[in-house]
Amino acid sequence: MAEIIQRDGTWTFDGETLRLVPGRDKGVSLLRATLGELTVPLAALAGIAFEQGKKSGRLRLRLRDGADPLLQATGGKLTDSSDPYQLTVEPDRYGVAEYLVDEVRNAHLIEQVPPTPCDAYLLPGPSVPLSVSAGDGTASFDGERVRLEWNWKTEEAKSASGTRSLALVDIAAVEWQPAVGLENGCLRFTVRNAPTKAPPKYDPNSVELWGFKKDPLMALVAAAVQARLPHPSAPAAPADAPSAATKGLTPPPPADDHDTLLRRLRELGELHQGGILTDEEFATAKQAVLRRM
């Protein structure tokens, strides 16, 4: 086993999987702290690298295309600080980082992991239920429906349509765009048979983002939805095979075992105590988890 412990987080490799745990240092980004622990199977890796610097180094994981719904939904637009597949390394741990890289590379070579894109997600995506408030609204997802609620900053032309509730089977695509310079970002849902060219400011199926602290958390909502949509590289179903949407069925979310749900409750409690979740958001998310138990 190889392990490196830093203020930024802890990476552990057991020969088959990499366990990535974010640190509790105040410099750890809100997205990484909220996303929590990740378990990356060796089959999802395309490569690993360590870059040395004068003041600090950086470990980087490169995942195979299509392996992770978070990377699929964000399209490579996460900043370095928000990227869960990077770890800042202090100079006195450079040797440990290089050892970890060697161990992962050797196992990767022995297992002969193909460099080709994946046709199914190898990571499950963020846990649900999930609710994030940022920009001009709140986006919530329980595994079956997306709920968009507006605040006082929403354009009247959009808020006039009221709260939106989108069934997963009606969502064709989801994307997250960060705010860059003077251009605002968004969390946008493309609804089947309802194309639109309206900017996020006026699109009732989009939350407009202005570049504030909680904007990256909307990427977690996008990833949770992406994980439950058909994989973009999955083999096409036969033309005569009825789709889930045709049958009126919602694809079942990945099963959550008891330990996973207990860990999710602890995570929600920490987010509530840290002021990330409001009392109402915490109560709603907690009840949803308890129902699943």
Side-chain angles (χ1 to χ4, degrees), residues 136-140 146-151 154-167 170-171 173 186-191 194-208 218:
D136 67 351
T138 297
S140 305
V146 171
R147 182 180 175 88
L148 303 178
E149 301 173 84
W150 313 116
N151 57 39
T154 311
E155 281 290 326
E156 186 176 354
K158 183 162 73 172
S159 62
S161 63
T163 298
R164 300 285 288 169
S165 181
L166 307 174
D170 294 328
I171 298 174
C186 70
L187 170 67
R188 185 193 294 273
F189 298 94
T190 301
V191 179
T196 179
K197 294 184 178 179
K201 185 175 184 178
Y202 302 106
D203 181 5
N205 297 320
S206 299
V207 176
E208 187 180 34
M218 284 292 183

Side-chain angles (χ1 to χ4, degrees), residues 128 141 146 168 171 173-174 189 220-229:
V128 294
F141 181 53
V146 171
L168 185 64
I171 298 174
V174 58
F189 298 94
L220 299 183
V221 178
V225 173
Q226 184 74 57
R228 291 161 176 80
L229 293 178

Side-chain angles (χ1 to χ4, degrees), residues 12-19 39-42:
T12 306
F13 181 59
D14 63 5
E16 296 180 352
T17 60
L18 265 164
R19 180 168 168 260
T39 300
V40 184
L42 196 61

Side-chain angles (χ1 to χ4, degrees), residues 210-268:
W210 302 315
F212 296 131
K213 182 179 179 181
K214 290 189 176 182
D215 283 14
L217 295 184
M218 284 292 183
L220 299 183
V221 178
V225 173
Q226 184 74 57
R228 291 161 176 80
L229 293 178
H231 193 282
S233 299
D240 57 349
S243 66
T246 302
K247 295 184 291 184
L249 300 176
T250 300
D256 290 323
D257 61 29
H258 192 71
D259 290 340
T260 300
L261 294 171
L262 287 176
R263 186 169 68 246
R264 182 58 177 162
L265 282 175
R266 288 195 295 270
E267 292 171 353
L268 290 172

